[in-house]
Amino acid sequence: MVELMLLYWILLPIVWVLMHIVYRVEVVGRNLIPRGRPIVIAPNHISDLDPVFILVVVFRFRRFRILAKQELFRNPFIGWFLRCMGAVPIDRGRGDMDTVNKVTEECKKGTGVLIFPEGTRSKDGKLGKLKSGAFVIAGQAGADMVPCRIIYDTPDHRMRPFCRMRICFGEPIPASELRITDPRHQIKELRALRTRLTNDLEELYRQNSFEPAALPAAEPNPGTEPGT
């Protein structure tokens, strides 16, 4: 664990430099991310590098936990890199509650969690149907949920080298509104939460898209050091 933390401190600044060489990055709403309390960041998912980009722009002294599909860890190098970044594999096909419970307990103690509610990458850049896992973790951990929309300025909305990108954060959904106290209403409440986050993510796209009709809300990412 100590070795992985040391590697995290070494690798993240290197990734920050490479990211700003290869991409033109703008960040919107970083000031909306709560400090000093449990949080779950819930982004859309287009590229395998999305979690790394988000970690770079929300840089904190304590690693986030990233829930990543088990298949990514089959490649030894990618698996090693992901573990350095704080990722843990989850078996999506078997309802991996052991991993979910472990991450939830860490979140309760203040570790930020990054989880993609879609569960898989979008092939066309559009937002897919959201799953419930992120809401379960946030609700049980007493964490605020931060909507996050990654937007690539390419014709097919996919990540390409040297393209512009915007990483946009919205108003957090308070922990008190994510907690489900009556199991009898769980399905209905989870459906409402999925709809709410979907609307928040679509609004972030509407306000920050590179398309002419979008509102110009982005601001350049400062080029001094990670997370400043």
Side-chain angles (χ1 to χ4, degrees), residues 37 51 70 109 112 123 129 133 135 152 159 163 168 187 193 199 212 221 227:
R37 57 171 292 102
Q70 196 174 49
K109 298 174 183 177
K123 296 180 179 180
K129 184 177 180 180
F135 304 99
Y152 295 105
M159 183 200 65
C163 73
C168 313
I187 295 176
L193 288 170
N199 292 339
N221 185 30

Side-chain angles (χ1 to χ4, degrees), residues 48-103:
D48 282 337
L49 290 177
D50 290 343
V52 179
F53 294 152
I54 294 170
L55 287 182
V56 168
V57 302
V58 301
F59 180 79
R60 292 188 175 184
F61 294 100
R62 189 173 184 176
R63 288 187 307 169
F64 273 73
R65 278 299 182 201
I66 310 167
L67 284 176
K69 61 184 180 181
Q70 196 174 49
E71 293 82 355
L72 291 175
F73 292 81
R74 292 174 182 169
N75 181 298
F77 175 77
I78 293 176
W80 169 80
F81 178 78
L82 289 172
R83 286 188 174 90
C84 290
M85 294 295 102
V88 291
I90 184 167
D91 189 343
R92 298 178 300 172
R94 296 186 178 181
D96 191 352
M97 291 308 299
D98 287 341
T99 298
V100 170
N101 292 336
K102 180 180 177 181
V103 170

Side-chain angles (χ1 to χ4, degrees), residues 6 12 20 24 29 31 54 62-63 70 86-87 93 104 112 123-124 140 168 176 181 194 198 210:
L6 290 174
L12 203 61
H20 286 80
R24 290 175 288 167
N31 60 302
I54 294 170
R62 189 173 184 176
R63 288 187 307 169
Q70 196 174 49
T104 300
K123 296 180 179 180
D124 57 8
Q140 293 181 354
C168 313
S176 60
T181 56
R194 290 196 300 268
T198 297
F210 290 96

Side-chain angles (χ1 to χ4, degrees), residues 110-155:
T111 298
V113 174
L114 174 60
I115 179 171
F116 296 95
E118 294 166 283
T120 188
R121 289 178 299 158
S122 168
K123 296 180 179 180
D124 57 8
K126 296 179 180 178
L127 188 66
K129 184 177 180 180
L130 306 188
K131 303 183 186 302
S132 299
F135 304 99
V136 173
I137 291 175
Q140 293 181 354
D144 296 337
M145 178 175 285
V146 182
C148 174
R149 189 78 189 235
I150 302 176
I151 306 170
Y152 295 105
D153 184 20
T154 57

